[in-house]
Amino acid sequence: MSSRETILQRLRNRSGGELTAPECDFSVLKRPDWSTAERVDLFEKTIESVHGEVHRCTEDNWIDRLSELLTTRGARNLLVPKEHEIGLKLRSEVERDDLPSLLIYDEPIESWQTALFNDVDASITSTRGGIAETGSLILWPTADEPRLMSLVPPIHVAVLFAREIYTTFHEAMLDQNWGAGMPTNALLVSGPSKTADIEQTLAYGVHGPKELIVLIIE
Amino acid sequence: MSETAHQSPHHIDVKEFHPRAQAAIHNPKIRQNFRKAMDGLMSKRKSAFEGWDLETLRDLGANIRLRALANLPDLLEQLEEKLTENGIKVHWALDSDEACRIVRDICVARDAKSVIKGKSMVSEEMELNHYLEGQGIEALESDLGEYIVQLAGETPSHIIMPAIHKNTGEISELMHEKTGTDLSHDVEYLTAAARQQLREKFMNADVGVSGVNFAVAETGTLCLVENEGNGRMTTTVPPCHIAVTGIEKVVPNLEDVTALMALLTRSATGQHITTYFNMISGPRKADEMDGPEEVHLVLVDNGRSSIYQDDELLDTLRCIRCGACMNHCPVYTRVGGHTYGTTYPGPIGKILMPHLIGLDEGRHLPTASSLCGACGEVCPVKIPIPDLLVRLRQESVDGDKLHPARVTGHGAKRGAMEAMIWKGWSWMHAHPGAYRFGTNMAARFRMLQPGQIGGWTQYRTAPKLAPKTLHEKLKERGQ
Ligand code: SF4
């Protein structure tokens, strides 16, 4: 008999007899209906408490804000999505000399891994919403915005629409109907990479980005 | 089996709990490092649940885990089906050795020479690193705490914070000696050095191995909770990802994960959520630019299906490995994780390990507790740890007639002398004549009573018999 069959058979022929499954009531996770403004405030507070940085912008001024933020940090380049409107909009502004040079992730990682790990200073990605209670960004990497875009560069900028901020993870998941099917990889990102493994002292950027900048578009 | 059966690299005798505990108690560094860390974790947990209806949330957590366990075989089949649909290959292992062989075979098929690992307690249980090394495959831990512990040639002393037993100075010296970094108490510097050392390894590793926090049957999704990003690197950068997990980690729906997450991170480190919550549902698709070409899941039994047979012990399988029971345990806080000599230390280790290694080996584990109840009180899924400790204590001394042979080695602590004394004792109480004679004699010759009575007088003074028995006193009062 294979190990699979042995294990399943042991579990099925349980000596203690059949187990009853209790009811699960999820109402303890529910929160009152909050306004968008309240959710934005809470999101900002929670993500800042874990070292994330929030900038409130509009459709019209987010690129200016981005350019300022990257200039102060001396970023030489920025990895942008190829097809998402964030990328399209940035690339349509190539004439601006206050933006760092724009890079696109349109080749399989194998062909440019060393460059991604060593030479890319910042990246910008879209989000599928945010979660106010935990200060989390929802990311579903795609062919256009691959998984490593939000992980390898030392600065990760995420664009979040205020109207897409949910109160809880539970609410976001049900509203977006995740149970119907998941992408190859989905993520909640709450702050920059960190560790407290050395005597409980927080240090940022241990393996992933050292800085997480969220541009909230209101 | 003998061809691949491997021996513990550490040769720790689990039975030697007491001498190790003595040594730890007399080691001020160990006591300081743990005390400081555990105090911090306790207060962080407390404030993380402020404003929550914690009792109701814990009930929900317990119910979710119970519901999953009630349907365990069906859920495992559903999980396998969904994962397979998603392109993830599923393997089943009865024990550690088989699980190790499965990992090796995948590595061999890919001609892999180096493995990079995310944190995984099941792989500690399997002693996977040691095994792979024996097969000529390098296995490197990438979680900073695990990396430090591996550099030191040790095992984790806590399931969430593996290197908690070391302070900054010790870590600095270790890194200096093993990797050539400068001696420094600057945690930022040490962290940056480790980042640099590990980045190279991520890029060059042939296989990434990770654990799993929750496996979701509904969608075929493997969930991983972490702060550092090393888990994402491990599961994304190498061309092949192997996840290993105990069979009990499956839950029916994604919705279940939202509640368990809320409990897990707050209980563990007092965080509302970890930096990364990573949900993996398949290998790289044809049009995608990164992610592993191959993803495998190894489902490990290793004694779990035997725990599953018993209604009481089954509760052990609810555990979501948050470590809160350790953080709140007065014994763990004083002696540290290595004293237990087991993969899982502290309260959860004391109820889980006897199943994995038997009560002969783990005979002292259920007694290494003050039964203060703190572990049961903080457990986010309401595992009645103190009750289980009492149950295992009983099994370890009386051979447990009520639950025959559930845990191997029951009765291991029963001494022949002790058994005889108890037998005589119960006979005397059933025979009034003998009882009166016995107590009279004992009162008369109380001067001959021994001053040392085994373990009892190790930390207490021996009780003295009264000069007169209760019967005599009552008689004197004319009652
Ligand atoms: S037994 Fe409970 S408190 Fe201890 S690690 Fe498991 S879930 Fe956490």
Side-chain angles (χ1 to χ4, degrees):
Chain A
M1 204 162 44
S2 72
S3 297
R4 177 184 186 277
E5 283 163 44
T6 312
I7 295 169
L8 286 171
Q9 201 181 68
R10 273 192 204 163
L11 298 178
R12 288 231 153 81
N13 304 336
R14 198 181 163 270
S15 62
E18 197 137 318
L19 292 162
T20 37
E23 284 294 313
C24 296
D25 177 2
F26 285 81
S27 51
V28 61
L29 298 178
K30 300 235 159 64
R31 298 289 172 265
D33 276 336
W34 283 4
S35 68
T36 304
E38 283 172 315
R39 287 198 290 259
V40 175
D41 286 345
L42 182 60
F43 175 88
E44 180 168 354
K45 202 178 110 201
T46 42
I47 201 162
E48 280 180 352
S49 75
V50 290
H51 217 70
E53 203 177 304
V54 169
H55 298 271
R56 300 188 182 206
C57 319
T58 63
E59 291 271 11
D60 297 328
N61 72 5
W62 70 269
I63 295 187
D64 298 332
R65 188 63 68 84
L66 175 70
S67 133
E68 277 163 36
L69 291 165
L70 292 178
T71 312
T72 20
R73 284 162 175 83
R76 295 160 301 167
N77 50 39
L78 176 69
L79 190 57
V80 305
K82 189 177 173 197
E83 273 147 33
H84 192 281
E85 59 174 286
I86 295 173
L88 294 181
K89 219 159 165 207
L90 279 166
R91 283 158 67 211
S92 70
E93 310 241 348
V94 276
E95 304 303 309
R96 292 174 65 147
D97 53 10
D98 61 337
L99 277 176
S101 63
L102 304 179
L103 308 170
I104 294 172
Y105 196 155
D106 62 350
E107 280 175 66
I109 180 66
E110 288 73 20
S111 57
W112 72 299
Q113 181 171 270
T114 322
L116 173 66
F117 273 76
N118 298 328
D119 306 328
V120 177
D121 290 341
S123 68
I124 185 165
T125 68
S126 66
T127 59
R128 242 181 160 247
I131 298 165
E133 189 172 79
T134 51
S136 311
L137 298 165
I138 304 169
L139 264 65
W140 286 36
T142 57
D144 192 37
E145 294 179 20
R147 313 182 196 199
L148 293 176
M149 240 174 122
S150 59
L151 181 64
V152 176
I155 302 168
H156 173 211
V157 185
V159 177
L160 172 65
F161 286 94
R163 57 170 194 277
E164 290 180 348
I165 301 180
Y166 296 89
T167 309
T168 65
F169 182 23
H170 189 245
E171 185 194 359
M173 180 183 276
L174 296 187
D175 195 75
Q176 297 187 351
N177 194 19
W178 291 14
M182 293 288 280
T184 49
N185 187 210
L187 301 157
L188 299 186
V189 175
S190 317
S193 147
K194 66 166 179 274
T195 183
D197 273 343
I198 302 182
E199 217 181 304
Q200 303 276 289
T201 312
L202 271 176
Y204 293 95
V206 51
H207 293 295
K210 219 179 161 83
E211 286 187 274
L212 174 68
I213 300 171
V214 186
L215 304 178
I216 298 185
I217 308 220
E218 290 182 296
Chain B
M1 175 147 308
S2 58
E3 168 229 345
T4 45
H6 53 289
Q7 241 202 338
S8 160
H10 315 288
H11 307 292
I12 290 170
D13 187 352
V14 178
K15 290 198 282 287
E16 297 296 293
F17 176 84
H18 287 114
R20 275 197 303 273
Q22 281 293 339
I25 284 169
H26 292 117
N27 181 338
K29 246 203 270 180
I30 296 258
R31 293 196 61 172
Q32 248 167 38
N33 294 353
F34 276 92
R35 176 92 255 173
K36 197 175 141 208
M38 298 301 133
D39 282 353
L41 289 169
M42 280 195 270
S43 76
K44 277 195 217 143
R45 169 190 172 274
K46 209 166 161 216
S47 51
F49 282 114
E50 259 164 36
W52 279 78
D53 180 352
L54 180 54
E55 280 321 292
T56 313
L57 184 63
R58 286 174 72 215
D59 282 332
L60 175 59
N63 286 344
I64 289 173
R65 293 298 299 133
L66 276 172
R67 182 175 66 175
L69 291 171
N71 301 317
L72 188 56
D74 293 342
L75 284 177
L76 286 169
E77 281 191 322
Q78 190 194 348
L79 176 72
E80 181 181 43
E81 194 186 312
K82 277 286 161 191
L83 287 172
T84 313
E85 253 173 52
N86 295 348
I88 296 178
K89 186 135 190 336
V90 180
H91 312 258
W92 302 67
L94 264 179
D95 55 24
S96 295
D97 283 319
E98 190 177 5
C100 282
R101 280 201 302 274
I102 292 169
V103 174
R104 175 199 62 187
D105 290 348
I106 300 169
C107 290
V108 168
R110 298 195 55 95
D111 200 17
K113 290 277 165 283
S114 64
V115 166
I116 190 107
K117 283 190 65 230
K119 198 173 157 334
S120 147
M121 286 311 291
V122 179
S123 73
E124 296 289 343
E125 206 178 306
M126 292 156 56
E127 289 171 6
L128 180 64
N129 295 354
H130 177 68
Y131 174 86
L132 287 178
E133 238 119 82
Q135 305 284 322
I137 301 169
E138 181 201 29
L140 187 76
E141 294 290 344
S142 64
D143 170 270
L144 182 59
E146 291 272 356
Y147 180 63
I148 292 166
V149 167
Q150 193 180 28
L151 283 180
E154 296 174 356
T155 53
S157 60
H158 189 283
I159 63 172
I160 301 289
M161 316 231 112
I164 204 142
H165 55 291
K166 293 193 182 304
N167 60 33
T168 311
E170 293 167 282
I171 292 169
S172 161
E173 273 165 40
L174 178 69
M175 286 184 66
H176 171 69
E177 196 186 304
K178 302 276 168 161
T179 69
T181 50
D182 294 341
L183 282 173
S184 162
H185 278 239
D186 180 355
V187 173
E188 291 253 348
Y189 165 78
L190 295 173
T191 306
R195 172 190 166 105
Q196 215 37 55
Q197 290 156 13
L198 285 161
R199 283 222 146 185
E200 290 297 315
K201 302 286 183 177
F202 283 121
M203 285 198 269
N204 299 324
D206 301 312
V207 170
V209 170
S210 78
V212 174
N213 290 90
F214 314 108
V216 184
E218 167 189 38
T219 50
T221 301
L222 308 175
C223 303
L224 266 93
V225 175
E226 57 139 350
N227 278 317
E228 295 186 1
N230 70 304
R232 286 183 67 195
M233 290 275 193
T234 302
T235 57
T236 315
V237 182
C240 172
H241 166 212
I242 308 173
V244 289
T245 184
I247 52 171
E248 81 283 17
K249 289 285 180 79
V250 62
V251 291
N253 306 310
L254 272 172
E255 188 183 18
D256 298 335
V257 168
T258 58
L260 295 178
M261 265 286 278
L263 284 164
L264 172 62
T265 60
R266 288 182 174 86
S267 304
T269 48
Q271 291 174 270
H272 298 297
I273 194 167
T274 48
T275 302
Y276 299 113
F277 182 56
N278 189 0
M279 292 159 274
I280 297 165
S281 309
R284 182 195 303 202
K285 290 212 176 96
D287 66 336
E288 291 177 341
M289 302 299 154
D290 59 20
E293 301 153 5
E294 252 179 60
V295 180
H296 300 261
L297 175 70
V298 186
L299 289 165
V300 185
D301 180 335
N302 206 27
R304 289 161 172 83
S305 61
S306 130
I307 303 177
Y308 189 73
Q309 308 299 318
D310 184 286
D311 285 350
E312 249 181 315
L313 303 176
L314 176 91
D315 288 335
T316 311
L317 298 177
R318 293 217 290 263
C319 177
I320 55 171
R321 307 280 191 263
C322 70
C325 53
M326 286 162 217
N327 304 348
H328 291 75
C329 175
V331 176
Y332 178 94
T333 305
R334 283 170 181 81
V335 300
H338 285 153
T339 299
Y340 297 82
T342 50
T343 309
Y344 302 92
I348 180 63
K350 288 182 269 193
I351 57 170
L352 188 62
M353 292 310 296
H355 302 284
L356 305 185
I357 58 178
L359 273 169
D360 323 315
E361 277 288 300
R363 67 179 67 164
H364 295 304
L365 295 174
T367 45
S369 167
S370 65
L371 290 185
C372 69
C375 50
E377 228 163 84
V378 294
C379 178
V381 289
K382 293 202 161 171
I383 302 177
I385 303 175
D387 296 350
L388 290 167
L389 285 170
V390 172
R391 154 86 189 269
L392 289 169
R393 282 184 185 189
Q394 206 178 339
E395 288 207 10
S396 69
V397 289
D398 77 0
D400 191 39
K401 290 167 205 78
L402 291 176
H403 310 84
R406 182 61 63 218
V407 188
T408 60
H410 61 253
K413 277 197 88 170
R414 187 177 180 81
M417 181 69 153
E418 213 177 315
M420 213 178 73
I421 292 172
W422 285 115
K423 221 167 165 187
W425 175 270
S426 69
W427 181 85
M428 232 171 84
H429 282 250
H431 298 82
Y435 179 83
R436 262 194 307 275
F437 178 75
T439 46
N440 269 325
M441 283 300 129
R444 262 346 59 84
F445 296 106
R446 54 194 275 274
M447 300 314 292
L448 299 178
Q449 190 191 331
Q452 299 289 321
I453 333 176
W456 178 268
T457 41
Q458 204 174 346
Y459 303 107
R460 308 172 186 87
T461 44
K464 276 267 170 236
L465 284 168
K468 283 182 182 157
T469 68
L470 181 67
H471 284 282
E472 286 172 329
K473 281 197 169 174
L474 287 174
K475 220 181 248 164
E476 278 174 19
R477 284 210 209 165
Q479 279 171 335

